[in-house]
Amino acid sequence: MATPIKDVVLDENRPKTLLAEKHADFIIKLFHSEDNYEFAITDYLRMSGMYWGLTALDLLHKRDKLLRVDLFDFIKSCQDPESGGISASLNHDPHLLHTLSAVQILCMYDKIDILDIEGVVKYVASLQQPDGSFSGDKWGEIDTRFSFCAVATLSLLKRMDSIDVDKAVKFIETCKNFDGGFGSRPLSESHAGLIYCCLGFLSITNRLDIVDRDTLAWWLCERQLPSGGLNGRPEKLPDVCYSWWVLSSLKLLGRLHWISSTDLENFIMACQDGETGGISDRPGDVADPYHTLFGLAALSLLGYSNIKMVNPTYCMPQEVIDRLGLKPQVLA
């Protein structure tokens, strides 16, 4: 007897159109919630949370609704004067994840000069290992996510010359699996989020030639479930964030048409909170800025008219990437 597919059922009374104004209000409210408990306990991911929220607003054409000088002052204060890296919040250790988030925000707002750019470059370069991989911070964890964060940060700063790109590419190639996917390290399980990181890395370094294109694209399109949602690996429930990780990867591979865009759009719409705004991982769950951004970014890739065009490599508005003169590789 076949094992039932893990999935969700969409309610007939679900939202079926984009609640753009409510989503913008949801994000703006989060930036004015310094006094509540949830704000206090999410200190450890503050910088990434700012990136998710501000990028979501930008994609909704609402960036000017949250122009606060103190946001930029906060980012500047999170740069460690010794290492040059940027932390999630004050009194935290710097990390590549938050360094990239800070650089992305400042590039979107054309405020990158407030940072010690040479310090950032030095920090990123210092984390490259002899095998070409990158640790996320001084504590030494190795993960392909950090390879992506490193090259994304340096490419936005136009300082790719500060690392050994060839060695970095060779490390990513060692993480490729028989199914065409990529994991966090060599011999690790293929995972849609890590596949995005590796394809984004290869897009920036212009090395998508090493990918088993159709084998990988088939694995990715098999992530779509009957509900229309996408999961990150077999036998998992759908999650809105994989709408981005899978779609952006298929876009980079030139195989976006291999999934049902209508069914995926219906799933994302069903994950909206009709009362407070925001998008959750699955219908009926609590909305958050992380899933709100990636739901909106996925809708952008699907060509939704009221959302700005997003760049599939950087998850930033395409107009910003164009302004910076960057041309990451995308397969036709």
Side-chain angles (χ1 to χ4, degrees):
M1 183 175 177
T3 303
I5 295 174
K6 293 182 179 180
D7 200 3
V8 298
V9 177
L10 304 187
D11 192 317
E12 280 301 317
N13 297 320
R14 66 186 184 273
K16 296 175 183 175
T17 58
L18 184 66
L19 309 175
E21 291 295 331
K22 286 192 173 185
H23 298 330
D25 291 342
F26 171 76
I27 294 295
I28 292 168
K29 184 178 179 180
L30 291 176
F31 277 86
H32 294 282
S33 301
E34 290 92 341
D35 296 331
N36 66 28
Y37 175 72
E38 288 80 5
F39 186 90
I41 64 171
T42 54
D43 195 52
Y44 67 97
L45 49 70
R46 182 79 62 240
M47 192 66 68
S48 292
M50 289 173 59
Y51 158 71
W52 302 328
L54 293 171
T55 307
L57 282 180
D58 203 343
L59 292 177
L60 289 170
H61 305 271
K62 305 289 185 183
R63 188 176 72 177
D64 292 342
K65 283 200 168 188
L66 200 61
L67 282 175
R68 288 172 46 183
V69 174
D70 61 311
L71 296 180
F72 305 124
D73 290 341
F74 172 78
I75 294 173
K76 184 176 181 179
S77 68
C78 288
Q79 183 170 24
D80 178 41
E82 293 185 12
S83 70
I86 300 170
S87 60
S89 191
L90 300 177
N91 301 316
H92 286 246
D93 288 338
H95 196 287
L96 271 179
L97 289 170
H98 306 298
T99 299
L100 173 58
S101 292
V103 168
Q104 288 174 302
I105 293 168
L106 296 175
C107 283
M108 284 190 291
Y109 284 84
D110 200 18
K111 297 280 189 181
I112 195 67
D113 289 342
I114 72 170
L115 292 177
D116 171 8
I117 294 175
E118 289 303 318
V120 173
V121 173
K122 179 188 73 171
Y123 175 71
V124 175
S126 73
L127 295 173
Q128 187 169 29
Q129 307 302 303
D131 66 353
S133 65
F134 285 83
S135 60
D137 58 15
K138 66 181 181 180
W139 303 110
E141 180 186 8
I142 304 297
D143 192 304
T144 48
R145 290 177 301 157
F146 308 145
S147 293
F148 170 74
C149 290
V151 299
T153 299
L154 293 175
S155 62
L156 288 168
L157 298 176
K158 301 182 180 179
R159 291 298 305 275
M160 288 286 286
D161 60 328
S162 64
I163 60 169
D164 189 326
V165 175
D166 289 340
K167 274 191 175 182
V169 170
K170 286 178 182 176
F171 172 75
I172 293 296
E173 194 167 13
T174 66
C175 298
K176 186 169 68 171
N177 293 323
F178 72 94
D179 54 17
F182 294 83
S184 60
R185 289 177 294 276
L187 304 178
S188 294
E189 177 186 13
S190 295
H191 185 285
L194 297 166
I195 287 169
Y196 160 79
C197 290
C198 291
L199 291 185
F201 171 97
L202 295 171
S203 169
I204 292 168
T205 57
N206 199 37
R207 287 302 313 274
L208 285 170
D209 60 283
I210 74 170
V211 175
D212 297 331
R213 183 182 186 183
D214 285 351
T215 301
L216 176 53
W218 182 248
W219 188 93
L220 288 165
C221 75
E222 284 190 317
R223 305 280 60 77
Q224 189 161 38
L225 299 169
S227 65
L230 298 163
N231 62 20
R233 50 200 168 110
E235 301 303 320
K236 297 296 182 179
L237 288 170
D239 186 319
V240 159
C241 70
Y242 294 111
S243 303
W244 169 256
W245 310 125
V246 173
L247 271 197
S248 58
S249 296
L250 287 171
K251 177 70 174 177
L252 293 175
L253 295 172
R255 296 291 185 263
L256 192 59
H257 58 289
W258 280 19
I259 66 161
S260 171
S261 58
T262 300
D263 289 347
L264 178 57
E265 182 176 320
N266 288 338
F267 176 80
I268 296 171
M269 295 299 180
C271 295
Q272 299 178 105
D273 190 313
E275 296 183 8
T276 65
I279 301 175
S280 61
D281 58 348
R282 284 179 281 278
D285 288 351
V286 177
D288 61 72
Y290 175 85
H291 291 95
T292 300
L293 168 60
F294 293 127
L296 293 172
L299 290 173
S300 174
L301 287 179
L302 294 176
Y304 203 86
S305 59
N306 294 331
I307 302 174
K308 284 185 182 180
M309 184 183 297
V310 70
N311 181 272
T313 300
Y314 292 94
C315 197
M316 296 167 64
Q318 182 63 47
E319 63 189 24
V320 176
I321 303 305
D322 291 341
R323 171 167 55 78
L324 294 172
L326 300 175
K327 297 184 183 299
Q329 184 184 17
V330 178
L331 299 178

mmCIF file of all heavy atoms in Angstrom, residues 243-264:
data_model
loop_
_atom_site.group_PDB
_atom_site.id
_atom_site.type_symbol
_atom_site.label_atom_id
_atom_site.label_comp_id
_atom_site.label_asym_id
_atom_site.label_seq_id
_atom_site.Cartn_x
_atom_site.Cartn_y
_atom_site.Cartn_z
ATOM 1 N N SER A 243 8.731 28.100 -1.752
ATOM 2 C CA SER A 243 8.259 28.734 -2.979
ATOM 3 C C SER A 243 9.385 29.566 -3.572
ATOM 4 O O SER A 243 9.548 29.629 -4.790
ATOM 5 C CB SER A 243 7.052 29.636 -2.697
ATOM 6 O OG SER A 243 6.011 28.912 -2.096
ATOM 7 N N TRP A 244 10.187 30.189 -2.684
ATOM 8 C CA TRP A 244 11.331 30.970 -3.167
ATOM 9 C C TRP A 244 12.518 30.079 -3.493
ATOM 10 O O TRP A 244 13.079 30.144 -4.574
ATOM 11 C CB TRP A 244 11.741 32.032 -2.143
ATOM 12 C CG TRP A 244 13.067 32.637 -2.511
ATOM 13 C CD1 TRP A 244 14.282 32.391 -1.928
ATOM 14 C CD2 TRP A 244 13.332 33.535 -3.598
ATOM 15 N NE1 TRP A 244 15.268 33.080 -2.572
ATOM 16 C CE2 TRP A 244 14.718 33.789 -3.604
ATOM 17 C CE3 TRP A 244 12.524 34.139 -4.560
ATOM 18 C CZ2 TRP A 244 15.321 34.633 -4.528
ATOM 19 C CZ3 TRP A 244 13.116 34.976 -5.490
ATOM 20 C CH2 TRP A 244 14.499 35.219 -5.470
ATOM 21 N N TRP A 245 12.926 29.233 -2.569
ATOM 22 C CA TRP A 245 14.144 28.432 -2.778
ATOM 23 C C TRP A 245 14.030 27.582 -4.043
ATOM 24 O O TRP A 245 14.998 27.467 -4.809
ATOM 25 C CB TRP A 245 14.419 27.527 -1.579
ATOM 26 C CG TRP A 245 14.400 28.178 -0.233
ATOM 27 C CD1 TRP A 245 13.646 27.801 0.835
ATOM 28 C CD2 TRP A 245 15.172 29.308 0.210
ATOM 29 N NE1 TRP A 245 13.886 28.630 1.900
ATOM 30 C CE2 TRP A 245 14.820 29.561 1.552
ATOM 31 C CE3 TRP A 245 16.105 30.127 -0.408
ATOM 32 C CZ2 TRP A 245 15.371 30.590 2.296
ATOM 33 C CZ3 TRP A 245 16.659 31.166 0.331
ATOM 34 C CH2 TRP A 245 16.298 31.384 1.659
ATOM 35 N N VAL A 246 12.874 26.982 -4.276
ATOM 36 C CA VAL A 246 12.700 26.128 -5.454
ATOM 37 C C VAL A 246 12.514 26.958 -6.720
ATOM 38 O O VAL A 246 13.155 26.702 -7.744
ATOM 39 C CB VAL A 246 11.507 25.163 -5.254
ATOM 40 C CG1 VAL A 246 11.211 24.392 -6.541
ATOM 41 C CG2 VAL A 246 11.788 24.186 -4.111
ATOM 42 N N LEU A 247 11.641 27.960 -6.649
ATOM 43 C CA LEU A 247 11.371 28.763 -7.847
ATOM 44 C C LEU A 247 12.596 29.503 -8.343
ATOM 45 O O LEU A 247 12.871 29.543 -9.541
ATOM 46 C CB LEU A 247 10.270 29.797 -7.562
ATOM 47 C CG LEU A 247 8.820 29.413 -7.786
ATOM 48 C CD1 LEU A 247 7.967 30.666 -7.851
ATOM 49 C CD2 LEU A 247 8.622 28.583 -9.032
ATOM 50 N N SER A 248 13.335 30.112 -7.424
ATOM 51 C CA SER A 248 14.525 30.856 -7.843
ATOM 52 C C SER A 248 15.531 29.917 -8.486
ATOM 53 O O SER A 248 16.193 30.261 -9.482
ATOM 54 C CB SER A 248 15.154 31.589 -6.659
ATOM 55 O OG SER A 248 15.491 30.683 -5.626
ATOM 56 N N SER A 249 15.652 28.704 -7.940
ATOM 57 C CA SER A 249 16.568 27.720 -8.513
ATOM 58 C C SER A 249 16.124 27.321 -9.920
ATOM 59 O O SER A 249 16.944 27.245 -10.847
ATOM 60 C CB SER A 249 16.641 26.476 -7.613
ATOM 61 O OG SER A 249 17.179 26.801 -6.345
ATOM 62 N N LEU A 250 14.833 27.073 -10.090
ATOM 63 C CA LEU A 250 14.320 26.733 -11.419
ATOM 64 C C LEU A 250 14.496 27.891 -12.393
ATOM 65 O O LEU A 250 14.778 27.681 -13.579
ATOM 66 C CB LEU A 250 12.847 26.330 -11.325
ATOM 67 C CG LEU A 250 12.571 24.962 -10.695
ATOM 68 C CD1 LEU A 250 11.079 24.775 -10.458
ATOM 69 C CD2 LEU A 250 13.118 23.831 -11.570
ATOM 70 N N LYS A 251 14.353 29.106 -11.896
ATOM 71 C CA LYS A 251 14.570 30.283 -12.741
ATOM 72 C C LYS A 251 16.019 30.340 -13.212
ATOM 73 O O LYS A 251 16.291 30.602 -14.398
ATOM 74 C CB LYS A 251 14.218 31.548 -11.959
ATOM 75 C CG LYS A 251 14.462 32.854 -12.715
ATOM 76 C CD LYS A 251 13.485 33.037 -13.854
ATOM 77 C CE LYS A 251 13.642 34.424 -14.497
ATOM 78 N NZ LYS A 251 12.736 34.591 -15.653
ATOM 79 N N LEU A 252 16.958 30.097 -12.319
ATOM 80 C CA LEU A 252 18.372 30.119 -12.692
ATOM 81 C C LEU A 252 18.700 29.015 -13.698
ATOM 82 O O LEU A 252 19.591 29.168 -14.533
ATOM 83 C CB LEU A 252 19.253 29.977 -11.456
ATOM 84 C CG LEU A 252 19.221 31.153 -10.467
ATOM 85 C CD1 LEU A 252 20.040 30.836 -9.225
ATOM 86 C CD2 LEU A 252 19.730 32.432 -11.124
ATOM 87 N N LEU A 253 17.945 27.910 -13.626
ATOM 88 C CA LEU A 253 18.163 26.786 -14.534
ATOM 89 C C LEU A 253 17.388 26.922 -15.843
ATOM 90 O O LEU A 253 17.523 26.074 -16.734
ATOM 91 C CB LEU A 253 17.768 25.476 -13.849
ATOM 92 C CG LEU A 253 18.596 25.052 -12.629
ATOM 93 C CD1 LEU A 253 17.959 23.848 -11.959
ATOM 94 C CD2 LEU A 253 20.040 24.760 -13.021
ATOM 95 N N GLY A 254 16.549 27.949 -15.957
ATOM 96 C CA GLY A 254 15.734 28.107 -17.146
ATOM 97 C C GLY A 254 14.606 27.092 -17.240
ATOM 98 O O GLY A 254 14.143 26.739 -18.327
ATOM 99 N N ARG A 255 14.130 26.606 -16.086
ATOM 100 C CA ARG A 255 13.103 25.572 -16.067
ATOM 101 C C ARG A 255 11.913 25.962 -15.167
ATOM 102 O O ARG A 255 11.256 25.092 -14.593
ATOM 103 C CB ARG A 255 13.706 24.246 -15.570
ATOM 104 C CG ARG A 255 14.785 23.670 -16.485
ATOM 105 C CD ARG A 255 14.172 23.179 -17.795
ATOM 106 N NE ARG A 255 15.155 22.524 -18.657
ATOM 107 C CZ ARG A 255 15.783 23.128 -19.662
ATOM 108 N NH1 ARG A 255 15.537 24.410 -19.921
ATOM 109 N NH2 ARG A 255 16.639 22.467 -20.403
ATOM 110 N N LEU A 256 11.632 27.237 -15.075
ATOM 111 C CA LEU A 256 10.541 27.711 -14.213
ATOM 112 C C LEU A 256 9.193 27.150 -14.658
ATOM 113 O O LEU A 256 8.284 26.950 -13.849
ATOM 114 C CB LEU A 256 10.509 29.241 -14.237
ATOM 115 C CG LEU A 256 9.633 29.952 -13.206
ATOM 116 C CD1 LEU A 256 10.057 29.601 -11.792
ATOM 117 C CD2 LEU A 256 9.697 31.456 -13.410
ATOM 118 N N HIS A 257 9.055 26.867 -15.952
ATOM 119 C CA HIS A 257 7.791 26.390 -16.497
ATOM 120 C C HIS A 257 7.506 24.925 -16.171
ATOM 121 O O HIS A 257 6.452 24.397 -16.542
ATOM 122 C CB HIS A 257 7.782 26.572 -18.027
ATOM 123 C CG HIS A 257 8.893 25.865 -18.724
ATOM 124 N ND1 HIS A 257 10.216 26.285 -18.633
ATOM 125 C CD2 HIS A 257 8.908 24.751 -19.503
ATOM 126 C CE1 HIS A 257 10.976 25.468 -19.345
ATOM 127 N NE2 HIS A 257 10.210 24.534 -19.883
ATOM 128 N N TRP A 258 8.397 24.254 -15.462
ATOM 129 C CA TRP A 258 8.202 22.839 -15.147
ATOM 130 C C TRP A 258 7.263 22.598 -13.965
ATOM 131 O O TRP A 258 6.974 21.458 -13.644
ATOM 132 C CB TRP A 258 9.560 22.185 -14.877
ATOM 133 C CG TRP A 258 10.309 21.835 -16.130
ATOM 134 C CD1 TRP A 258 10.108 22.336 -17.377
ATOM 135 C CD2 TRP A 258 11.391 20.903 -16.242
ATOM 136 N NE1 TRP A 258 10.994 21.798 -18.264
ATOM 137 C CE2 TRP A 258 11.808 20.912 -17.600
ATOM 138 C CE3 TRP A 258 12.066 20.091 -15.342
ATOM 139 C CZ2 TRP A 258 12.846 20.106 -18.065
ATOM 140 C CZ3 TRP A 258 13.105 19.297 -15.808
ATOM 141 C CH2 TRP A 258 13.494 19.297 -17.157
ATOM 142 N N ILE A 259 6.814 23.652 -13.298
ATOM 143 C CA ILE A 259 5.839 23.470 -12.215
ATOM 144 C C ILE A 259 4.555 24.223 -12.563
ATOM 145 O O ILE A 259 4.526 25.052 -13.477
ATOM 146 C CB ILE A 259 6.370 23.956 -10.859
ATOM 147 C CG1 ILE A 259 6.571 25.468 -10.875
ATOM 148 C CG2 ILE A 259 7.638 23.246 -10.454
ATOM 149 C CD1 ILE A 259 6.632 26.055 -9.494
ATOM 150 N N SER A 260 3.510 23.957 -11.817
ATOM 151 C CA SER A 260 2.243 24.657 -12.028
ATOM 152 C C SER A 260 2.268 25.977 -11.264
ATOM 153 O O SER A 260 2.155 25.993 -10.033
ATOM 154 C CB SER A 260 1.068 23.810 -11.550
ATOM 155 O OG SER A 260 -0.133 24.584 -11.569
ATOM 156 N N SER A 261 2.404 27.078 -11.988
ATOM 157 C CA SER A 261 2.450 28.390 -11.340
ATOM 158 C C SER A 261 1.099 28.757 -10.734
ATOM 159 O O SER A 261 1.040 29.385 -9.671
ATOM 160 C CB SER A 261 2.903 29.452 -12.344
ATOM 161 O OG SER A 261 2.037 29.497 -13.461
ATOM 162 N N THR A 262 0.014 28.352 -11.378
ATOM 163 C CA THR A 262 -1.320 28.668 -10.854
ATOM 164 C C THR A 262 -1.551 27.996 -9.507
ATOM 165 O O THR A 262 -2.038 28.617 -8.554
ATOM 166 C CB THR A 262 -2.408 28.223 -11.848
ATOM 167 O OG1 THR A 262 -2.225 28.907 -13.092
ATOM 168 C CG2 THR A 262 -3.804 28.543 -11.309
ATOM 169 N N ASP A 263 -1.191 26.719 -9.409
ATOM 170 C CA ASP A 263 -1.384 25.995 -8.148
ATOM 171 C C ASP A 263 -0.506 26.571 -7.036
ATOM 172 O O ASP A 263 -0.945 26.686 -5.882
ATOM 173 C CB ASP A 263 -1.061 24.514 -8.335
ATOM 174 C CG ASP A 263 -2.100 23.791 -9.186
ATOM 175 O OD1 ASP A 263 -3.177 24.362 -9.413
ATOM 176 O OD2 ASP A 263 -1.817 22.661 -9.618
ATOM 177 N N LEU A 264 0.724 26.951 -7.378
ATOM 178 C CA LEU A 264 1.606 27.531 -6.370
ATOM 179 C C LEU A 264 1.084 28.886 -5.917
ATOM 180 O O LEU A 264 1.101 29.198 -4.715
ATOM 181 C CB LEU A 264 3.030 27.673 -6.908
ATOM 182 C CG LEU A 264 4.039 28.315 -5.940
ATOM 183 C CD1 LEU A 264 4.109 27.551 -4.623
ATOM 184 C CD2 LEU A 264 5.421 28.401 -6.575
#
